[in-house]
Amino acid sequence: MATTSDAANDTANEPYVLNIGPQHPSTHGVFRLRVVMDGEVIRDLDMIVGYLHRSMEKLAEERTYTQNIPFTDRADYLAAMSNNLGLCLAVERLAGVEVPERASYLRVIFAELQRIASHAMANGTLVSDAGAWQTPLLYMFREREKILDLFEMTCGARLTTNYMRIGGVAFDPPPEFWPALQELVDELPARIDEYASLVQDSEIFLARTRNVGVITAADAINGSLVGPALRGSGVPWDLRKAEPYCVYDRMEFEVPVGRHGDVYDRFMVRMEETRQSTAIIKQAMAQIPGGPHKTDIPLALRPPAGEVYGRVEGPRGELGFYLVSDGTPAPYRFHIRAPSLINLSLLREMAVGVSLPDAVVALGSLDIIVGDIDR
Amino acid sequence: MAARLGAALPGAVTRATDEWVEVVPERVQEALRWLRDSEEFDAAQLSDLTAVDRHTHFEVVYHLQSLDLNHQVVVKAIVGDHEAPALPSAYPVYKGALLQEREVYDLMGIRFADHPDLRRLFLWEGFPGHPLRKDFLGIGGGQTSGLRRFPNEDRADPDRQMNRDNLTSQEMPREAGGHGSEHVASGGH
């Protein structure tokens, strides 16, 4: 007996390698972590990505700007509308295309619906990571489902919508869209309160998320964090305020920020942002004018030679498109600044020295989408 | 901005336009640090780091953002060596460069000196070549990659009225004014 016990003690002091993923619920997609563990504590962490790499940036160089819009759906597949919007705004700036006012309002409505749907997914899976397996997630799926119904009603697709066009949007929503949207925004505030009441005062959830995965404001800025990951650390930076695009300058909304930069703050920032998005949609519905939903652009669009860095505030933060045109129908260089990838810059620093379950929750709070990481 | 940067770091700025400033690649880290720390520019965050292959050289492009002053600064470094491009890493200045430089190294093959962990990001070690380079998988017959014309641009019947309603999925209309009989097989432009 004494010998076995000694042997057990020897191995207890020896670090071991733990492989998480690529197929694992806590990695939110095909994403792999190679973790060096000392008991329950992480000593080193390496992320291995690329399982979903489709080389979109290379493929885009052989396709016209309009043909590239469906790629953006598949980059961040939980925020297809925001990704469409980012590319269209960048191309419009590059080619000097004007967008009708109605189209700008429709873009705001759909981008905010997408934000609510994406945040519901992010917070739902985070609660799952924290141990409340599936039940809160399915609550949060309920309204996401209604939003996807609205997308389907308008453009025929639920996930890869391909709805925005250079110069506007593809379709004007059908008549039955508006009553359904009204019903949704009327019930959303009460639903969001219900979700919040499910978890925000739960002792277990607080124990799993308070003071876990803390990122200081200085680190968040220096580490290029964006979106709720940056705002959770108390930095009130939102491109919808800083650089208003579409008609966001006519909307009244607040930019919620956290105080401690922990997982709980990032969760609450997303929760509050869904309330603000609901308010934005209500204002847009009240203000939306009639008129065309799309400008006619030459189908053979050849933007003049030059470059542009267009960006929008997607659900995960700054989503940028760096396009270089040489005057041909296809971009010479097509680069997507993917918030999911760049938000992982501090992952190793966050994870080293903490326990594995805390690192899983910290990763969940960054809200990564593997399609967006790999592109 | 170019004037201020040039005054602070003599010889670092090679060229400036209204939109961006070009710096000597060897001094890019120094320039980024100065821009980050200067009160006037306050470029606190590295928004985006990427590169463009210009056949003979690479452009490494840095989009910097001041969160307090709400303005953007664009810095470019022109790396002349197309065979073995290299320049100093931005990581000592911005931690946010960690994964972005790995991505550029993986897909463009540009090496960043002082990067703490310069490995391929998406592709595996040993993958042949760097896919985002323009000469990756060269196309024969004098062609270069890219799309110079619209598909079926001159195969469509010129007399047929082309508009959105009568297009088939195989057809794109000829551009207003047309593009003559310029042909892909003749080697593009």
Side-chain angles (χ1 to χ4, degrees):
Chain A
M1 280 306 285
T3 352
T4 19
S5 158
D6 283 350
N9 283 340
D10 284 351
T11 48
N13 294 330
E14 202 169 284
Y16 61 97
V17 174
L18 182 68
N19 184 68
I20 308 173
Q23 308 287 351
H24 192 273
S26 73
T27 58
H28 298 198
V30 199
F31 176 85
R32 184 175 151 212
L33 291 172
R34 191 177 168 278
V35 191
V36 179
M37 303 286 299
D38 185 359
E40 269 287 283
V41 177
I42 295 176
R43 288 280 167 251
D44 196 7
L45 176 144
D46 185 20
M47 56 172 240
I48 296 139
V49 296
Y51 295 94
L52 279 185
H53 182 58
R54 292 145 290 177
S55 206
M56 282 179 188
E57 296 183 2
K58 184 75 173 178
L59 292 170
E61 291 173 6
E62 310 272 339
R63 279 158 182 78
T64 67
Y65 291 89
T66 304
Q67 284 172 333
N68 278 320
I69 298 173
F71 277 149
T72 64
D73 296 331
R74 284 146 185 87
D76 185 346
Y77 39 74
L78 291 187
M81 289 289 186
S82 316
N83 279 34
N84 286 178
L85 179 58
L87 175 60
C88 291
L89 286 174
V91 178
E92 282 155 10
R93 250 175 65 197
L94 190 61
V97 176
E98 292 287 321
V99 180
E101 210 176 20
R102 183 174 176 81
S104 289
Y105 277 97
L106 286 170
R107 285 173 166 192
V108 167
I109 290 172
F110 281 99
E112 293 307 317
L113 284 172
Q114 185 78 77
R115 190 182 316 278
I116 297 171
S118 175
H119 281 357
M121 184 86 171
N123 278 349
T125 47
L126 174 60
V127 177
S128 271
D129 288 343
W133 184 244
Q134 297 297 10
T135 307
L137 174 64
L138 289 175
Y139 267 78
M140 294 179 188
F141 263 33
R142 184 176 48 189
E143 264 57 56
R144 178 171 181 268
E145 201 60 24
K146 292 181 182 165
I147 291 171
L148 298 190
D149 285 346
L150 290 173
F151 289 176
E152 188 178 12
M153 185 185 287
T154 307
C155 64
R158 297 163 67 82
L159 213 58
T160 50
T161 53
N162 189 19
Y163 177 58
M164 311 277 176
R165 289 290 182 275
I166 297 156
V169 295
F171 315 100
D172 209 46
E176 64 269 26
F177 172 85
W178 297 105
L181 179 62
Q182 186 65 51
E183 200 184 315
L184 179 72
V185 295
D186 286 344
E187 67 179 30
L188 261 176
R191 296 295 194 195
I192 296 167
D193 290 346
E194 189 187 358
Y195 304 146
S197 72
L198 276 176
V199 287
Q200 73 178 12
D201 298 325
S202 150
E203 207 172 308
I204 303 171
F205 186 69
L206 288 174
R208 289 301 313 277
T209 55
R210 273 274 182 221
N211 295 319
V212 171
V214 177
I215 307 174
T216 65
D219 274 351
I221 293 171
N222 193 260
S224 295
L225 262 58
V226 288
L230 177 63
R231 293 190 284 271
S233 297
V235 184
W237 177 254
D238 188 321
L239 289 172
R240 292 174 294 171
K241 286 279 190 201
E243 218 173 64
Y245 49 92
C246 295
V247 287
Y248 279 112
D249 48 347
R250 300 179 203 170
M251 304 291 163
E252 276 178 30
F253 63 101
E254 284 165 21
V255 178
V257 292
R259 270 181 301 173
H260 310 289
D262 56 10
V263 171
Y264 185 77
D265 278 0
R266 294 193 275 279
F267 177 86
M268 291 310 286
V269 163
R270 289 198 183 93
M271 203 59 115
E272 185 55 36
E273 279 185 16
T274 53
R275 293 196 179 97
Q276 298 297 332
S277 294
T278 315
I280 294 174
I281 295 170
K282 279 185 185 160
Q283 294 171 52
M285 286 171 77
Q287 296 175 17
I288 188 167
H293 63 278
K294 189 176 184 304
T295 347
D296 273 344
I297 57 157
L299 278 181
L301 184 70
R302 292 172 195 260
E307 62 174 62
V308 69
Y309 179 67
R311 51 187 182 169
V312 294
E313 185 73 30
R316 273 155 278 285
E318 176 177 338
L319 173 78
F321 286 88
Y322 178 65
L323 307 176
V324 179
S325 168
D326 59 351
T328 58
Y332 182 80
R333 176 85 173 93
F334 179 95
H335 173 69
I336 307 177
R337 183 239 189 257
S340 295
L341 173 72
I342 300 170
N343 279 356
L344 289 174
S345 299
L346 299 179
L347 178 67
R348 188 172 173 276
E349 291 175 32
M350 280 165 77
V352 170
V354 308
S355 74
L356 183 64
D358 283 354
V360 165
V361 174
L363 174 68
S365 74
L366 292 176
D367 186 17
I368 56 162
I369 298 300
V370 181
D372 194 31
I373 295 177
D374 289 356
R375 285 159 282 135
Chain B
M1 181 189 91
R4 306 298 291 270
L5 184 62
L9 304 171
V13 177
T14 49
R15 193 171 146 248
T17 70
D18 292 344
E19 292 164 58
W20 67 80
V21 51
E22 286 178 15
V23 299
V24 181
E26 290 75 29
R27 303 188 65 182
V28 69
Q29 197 186 88
E30 214 180 321
L32 294 177
R33 181 171 285 119
W34 187 83
L35 285 167
R36 183 194 67 181
D37 295 338
S38 92
E39 279 182 19
E40 192 183 350
F41 297 107
D42 176 51
Q45 192 173 49
L46 172 70
S47 294
D48 182 47
L49 189 166
T50 189
V52 185
D53 183 358
R54 294 286 187 183
H55 295 287
T56 54
H57 60 271
F58 287 99
E59 276 175 31
V60 183
V61 188
Y62 303 82
H63 285 86
L64 313 179
Q65 180 69 43
S66 165
L67 304 185
D68 292 337
L69 308 176
N70 190 10
H71 70 146
Q72 197 176 46
V73 176
V74 185
V75 176
K76 287 189 179 185
I78 310 295
V79 185
D81 184 353
H82 199 268
E83 290 304 308
L87 77 166
S89 167
Y91 180 78
V93 187
Y94 297 108
K95 285 184 199 160
L98 181 74
L99 299 172
Q100 305 193 63
E101 286 185 348
R102 278 184 66 188
E103 183 185 346
V104 171
Y105 166 65
D106 186 5
L107 302 177
M108 286 276 188
I110 300 174
R111 298 199 75 92
F112 293 90
D114 321 329
H115 188 286
D117 186 24
L118 194 68
R119 286 175 294 140
R120 282 192 179 260
L121 184 63
F122 300 133
L123 303 168
W124 53 96
E125 295 299 333
F127 182 88
H130 302 282
L132 279 183
R133 285 194 179 186
K134 292 286 177 186
D135 56 6
F136 180 75
L137 294 184
I139 304 166
Q143 285 190 56
T144 50
S145 63
L147 181 73
R148 275 163 180 74
R149 301 173 52 263
F150 282 84
N152 295 334
E153 200 166 21
D154 54 13
R155 235 181 286 165
D157 175 5
D159 297 328
R160 185 171 151 206
Q161 188 63 40
M162 298 294 272
N163 60 43
R164 281 181 182 74
D165 300 326
N166 63 4
L167 270 181
T168 69
S169 61
Q170 299 299 311
E171 290 170 337
M172 294 286 277
R174 81 175 39 223
E175 196 179 281
H179 254 255
S181 57
E182 177 198 32
H183 205 273
V184 185
S186 68
H189 282 200

